[in-house]
Amino acid sequence: MKVVIKKATILCAQSQYHLQQKDILIVNGIIEKIAANIPVDKKLKVIEGKNLHASIGWMDVFADFADPGFEYKEDLNSGMQAAAAGGYTDVMLMPNTQPTISNKGQVEYIINQTKNKAVQVHVIGAISKNCEGTTLAEMYDMQASGAIAFSDGKKSIQQSGLLLKALQYVKSFNGTIIQQPIDESLTQHGLMNEGVISTQLGMQGKIDVAEYLVIHRDIELLRYTESKLHITGVSTAKGIDLIRKAKKEKLNITCSVSAYHLLLTDEALTKYDSTYKVNPPLRTDKDRKALLEAVADGTIDCIASHHTPHEWDAKHVEFAYAQYGMMTLETTLHQLLSIPNSKISIAQWITLLTNNPRKIFGLAEKNIAVNEAACLTIFSTLETNNYTDANKKSKGINSPFLNSTLQGKIIATINNGQLTMNN
Amino acid sequence: MSLSVKHLLGIKDLQPQDIETIFRTADNFKEILKRSIKKVPTLRDTTIVNLFYENSTRTRISFELAEKRLSADTINFTASGSSVSKGETLIDTAKNILAMKVDMVVMRHSASGAPHFLSKYIDAAIINAGDGTNEHPTQALLDAYSMREQLGDLKNKKIAIIGDIMHSRVALSNIYCLQKLGAKVLVAGPPTLIPKHIKALGVDVTYHVQEALEWCDVANVLRIQLERQNMPLFSSLREYSLYYGINKKMLDSLQKKIIVMHPGPINRGVEINSDVADSEQSIILDQVENGVATRMAVLYLLAGKKDLE
């Protein structure tokens, strides 16, 4: 593989070429040269385009590839292709498969199936057996087999006692607990955010208290256990404020939000469109703006895709019966670029997609420098991309952006010596 | 005469003008219903399916009667004993029915938004006969029509809606309808049965039924929806009746004679006592009568036929 990327603005804070426009030559997966102008010859694959950017490969911390068990929604291959198409070189998978990823064998299955691919898959092991929230799963053994962190994924740990033990248990191997904060007893009959819109639509609501109550509890459990906690899917103004305060107190807490919670609000639901049925639900504009502020002030560490692909039948039923979730991996760039009145620069977004997640989950820092292994995402913020049923890579159908022209385009990713070009 | 909408999914989507049109049309039908021959040939070549995914007696009968008075051909589909229990989806059921060349669908469903969902997939005109905790538009139309018969123009009239507001599609449709007609609305009931954000719809809230009765011109008392409550929201029917039920003594204590309404079926002795339900202040049976005329009007207007006699 011999590739040259022409005239790309390098977005990589730790690189000496940060914010500079350069040509990058990659030979056999290694960055061989970075210079103002690298001559092109016939043996070179040339990547060029208007407004090209190159960052280190993006990393997602919370995606569902539905494999094993729900391969009709997604499988490891289609998931990795979707990730690459969305600009990702690294993806962390939640354990809510069938069976769940709650023992060594399941961790090894995922790792073996995804070895040496263009997208590096990382496994999140379950905190509790079968993600049932009652007894601890074999986290130590899963860690030894390669699990990167622990979570019950879409299921929030309800029992305070169990979460306390989990936070304590992972300390011996420096593990990280990931929690999606939802008090189910307060939300079980709700279908969307409780607010003016849900009242107008006659739909039962999920109250925001259900989120920040759990965040508050989890912070106190973290304080007591002195462990490591990552909260994902924060959706409320009050919730993110609690995390901001906990960070000021130097607790070992980090958090991520989905791009769609930064872009959309509960007003998207006025036509009962189940594409927008997600959990935690789309909140009010006030919440959305609070999340954006939290991105700006560094409270939010990462963008988590919460990629949840579904087949047609799962969504084309009455709203109450439709399954939760949105497929998002292929549209992250578009979502971030479409946020109205965003003051966040593309370089800031890139930090949330590259350095921060690697740091939080203990992966080696990457760099854009000569002699480094190339782990790159090459994209344009100006070019557009037709995202259609025909060219999507995920098996899912549940994206509100499907069959439309999207702002921003992922041109290619390079990882593990492999170039993945997007058409 | 026609409406600004193709379907009647909710009062929320109607213009005040639409409501006036429906009322004027209902006036005509009400007159027809007083004739010795109550049937008109207006919808003679129209086939209507009554698609009821949830139990209903009076709404279904009222629609069926309205359809028959208009000479429509009707099919009744109820969830129990149909293909729904075999796991067929709503889309498939509806498509199957429509393959039989049905023109209109009257639909009741336990999920909010179900008729809106269906409207994306079928061409027939849909009338929402109640969807989950969202709307029950024809009930609100017949309620407002009945109030208007008693009070004339509803502008600035005070209407109290009392009881289980949270689980009631009648409440939401009533609020939208009455506001479009210029009335003032107050909701009353136990705090656990009143949505937290209801004031954003422009209504006032009280937890004291007596206060609501003293304020209003009309008290529209709702049924306690035991079947739609997912968790205990009050302690017992006894306590509900003691603190939120309406009896004759309360009515007699008021300065003025208010009108009492109820969409039925009544839980006698729970939300309303028999001495109120059967009193001269009650117009509950007028509501039932007007239900047929109002539904005839809606069916007629959505069918898009020209020749009303």
Side-chain angles (χ1 to χ4, degrees), chain A residues 185-191 194-204 207-208 270-274 312-313 315-321, chain B residues 12 53 89-91 95 107 109-114 116-117 120-121 131-135 166-167 172 176 195-198 200-201 230-231:
Chain A
S185 74
L186 290 174
T187 57
Q188 55 184 333
H189 304 297
L191 296 167
E194 187 200 73
V196 176
I197 306 285
S198 70
T199 310
Q200 285 170 344
L201 293 175
M203 285 218 270
Q204 300 296 301
I207 57 179
D208 58 359
T270 49
K271 303 268 186 238
Y272 299 94
D273 184 347
S274 64
W312 194 88
D313 296 322
K315 283 291 191 181
H316 291 79
V317 288
E318 297 87 325
F319 191 92
Y321 309 148
Chain B
K12 190 163 52 203
Y53 284 87
T89 65
L90 177 55
I91 294 180
K95 280 185 176 166
M107 179 183 179
H109 200 290
S110 60
S112 297
H116 307 69
F117 165 73
K120 289 183 214 159
Y121 295 95
D131 64 323
T133 51
N134 181 32
E135 284 221 45
M166 171 119 46
H167 300 92
L172 201 53
Y176 287 133
K196 182 176 161 67
H197 299 274
I198 194 85
L201 303 186
N230 300 313
M231 58 170 87

Side-chain angles (χ1 to χ4, degrees), chain A residues 389-423:
Chain A
D389 289 323
N391 69 14
K392 75 178 168 68
K393 299 289 191 267
S394 172
K395 286 187 185 177
I397 51 84
N398 51 317
S399 166
F401 312 109
L402 203 52
N403 299 314
S404 55
T405 302
L406 309 184
Q407 178 69 37
K409 186 174 182 180
I410 303 296
I411 310 293
T413 60
I414 300 174
N415 190 33
N416 278 339
Q418 295 169 56
L419 168 71
T420 311
M421 290 292 295
N422 268 353
N423 301 319

Side-chain angles (χ1 to χ4, degrees), chain A residues 37 74 119 129 139 141 188 194 234 264 325 339 374 386 421:
Chain A
N37 187 16
E74 194 83 286
V119 172
K129 278 179 192 147
M139 289 190 277
D141 206 18
Q188 55 184 333
E194 187 200 73
V234 185
L264 303 167
I339 295 168
N386 283 326
M421 290 292 295

